[in-house]
Amino acid sequence: MTDHVITDYGARPDQDCTQAIELAIKACELTGGRVVVPAGLFLTGPIRLRSNVELQVSAGATLRFSTERSAYPMVRTRWQGIECWSYSPLIYAYDEVNVAVTGTGTLDGGASSDNWWRDTRPVDDWNRLLRMVDDGVPVDDRVFPPGHGFRPSFIQPHSCRRVRIEDVGIVNAPMWVVHPVFCTDVLVRGITIDSRGPNNDGCNPDSCQDVVIAGCSFDTGDDCIAIKSGRDADGRRVARPSANILVESCRFGTGHGALTIGSETSGGIHTIHARDLHITGPAIDHALRIKTNAHRGGLIEHITLQDTQVDSVTTSAIHITTNHATPTPPPIPFPPTVRHITITNLRVHSAPRTLEIHDTPTSPVSDLRLLP
């Protein structure tokens, strides 16, 4: 494997190394191999990975990303379950094969209440995007130019095959941290996420299949792992489920749900197996959370949770709702189906409630089994 060390392409500690990293990626793309960030602090703008390129952040290295919005070009993305063109994620790949982010160094998104976290959801832009969906505007015409748009995800492989994200520490994300979209064959292993800003979900497979999330540690400002498949009419248009996902041997310290399904479920979510999870608390709301509603619809089934230790949660160990966040009913309801959920060997030390279900007559939860 060929290594392309960014300092060989002009990168210097404490300086903007965006161009040097881009040159290293272009060279690496020709041969395959690794783009290596050596020990030290390096500053950069957005990074776009290419096929057969592994970005390795070495031990003792910190790659800190710019918070200047003008540095981020528009790309095709998915924001809270709706496709559009908006700010590039900090690390992005589109329609690539064999891409990786590895190493034991640190990725620092630089986000804080002084920059990205100020605008949790720009109301005018969000309402405009919703109108575009209602009006059937094609995705390529849902463009949010500089000065508009939405906080980007940190790492987003989009429409990629064979993705690996391994060992890195990730802090201060603008939005969702690890966000694969329309990907297959994804491995997220051994990463440590400590990012507690608004909507800082830890790992969100979004209409992805054949995913493994293993040996990771989460302290987040929102759900730790959230499996998704698109929002409302736009999710139904795409109609791609998340499926065949294994979550194992992960630790959860701070966040809303440790393992969450939803609330964007319109494409369906099925065949999710989680085992050997440890919710250490004290600031986790739920161990398993399933949330959807009649706006979302979708089929959620074949969910298993096995051998889970809950030291402490603030609300309920298991929380399932088919009426999540619905102040007004949709004009045409799409009642979701939630069924075939099996929970085995759940050990709860401290929780106000073990199980909490809020369903509706049109969307009852069925075939829920709690086994020793």
Side-chain angles (χ1 to χ4, degrees), residues 58-276:
S58 303
T62 295
L63 195 57
R64 180 172 296 159
F65 288 78
S66 172
T67 59
E68 291 296 328
R69 300 190 182 202
S70 60
Y72 291 82
M74 290 182 297
V75 298
R76 184 167 179 148
T77 185
R78 203 184 210 189
W79 203 82
Q80 295 209 27
I82 298 178
E83 288 194 281
C84 63
W85 284 74
S86 186
Y87 294 114
S88 171
L90 279 58
I91 299 176
Y92 180 71
Y94 186 85
D95 195 23
E96 307 288 357
V97 181
N98 293 330
V99 292
V101 180
T102 68
T104 57
T106 299
L107 297 170
D108 183 353
S112 73
S113 56
D114 294 327
N115 46 69
W116 290 115
W117 295 347
R118 282 195 305 251
D119 302 319
T120 55
R121 180 188 284 170
V123 175
D124 290 345
D125 286 338
W126 177 244
N127 288 337
R128 179 181 163 219
L129 180 58
L130 294 178
R131 287 194 301 271
M132 287 176 171
V133 173
D134 290 342
D135 294 342
V137 175
V139 174
D140 285 345
D141 293 331
R142 303 176 194 170
V143 178
F144 291 82
H148 296 272
F150 309 101
R151 289 174 295 141
S153 299
F154 202 134
I155 302 175
Q156 186 185 98
H158 190 302
S159 305
C160 293
R161 292 182 291 122
R162 295 196 292 276
V163 175
R164 182 165 57 99
I165 302 168
E166 191 167 18
D167 295 334
V168 291
I170 307 174
V171 299
N172 304 325
M175 179 65 181
W176 294 350
V177 182
V178 175
H179 181 205
V181 177
F182 306 147
C183 291
T184 58
D185 193 2
V186 177
L187 174 63
V188 181
R189 181 168 59 193
I191 68 172
T192 299
I193 293 175
D194 189 351
S195 191
R196 308 189 195 195
N199 308 113
N200 275 199
D201 292 14
C203 183
N204 290 11
D206 197 349
S207 293
C208 291
Q209 299 194 20
D210 304 327
V211 178
V212 174
I213 305 168
C216 300
S217 178
F218 297 92
D219 289 279
T220 69
D222 208 308
D223 293 321
C224 295
I225 296 172
I227 299 169
K228 300 177 179 290
S229 65
R231 183 186 185 106
D232 301 350
D234 204 56
R236 289 185 286 273
R237 173 189 62 82
V238 175
R240 292 184 60 168
S242 277
N244 303 329
I245 297 175
L246 171 65
V247 180
E248 65 178 356
S249 304
C250 292
R251 172 210 157 269
F252 307 88
T254 303
H256 294 178
L259 173 60
T260 295
I261 294 170
S263 63
E264 294 85 356
T265 60
S266 301
I269 295 170
H270 69 85
T271 319
I272 313 299
H273 182 57
R275 64 191 182 202
D276 187 30

Side-chain angles (χ1 to χ4, degrees), residues 272-295:
I272 313 299
H273 182 57
R275 64 191 182 202
D276 187 30
L277 307 186
H278 189 184
I279 290 81
T280 63
I284 293 285
D285 294 340
H286 313 284
L288 173 64
R289 184 186 194 194
I290 299 174
K291 50 180 178 175
T292 183
N293 59 40
H295 292 270

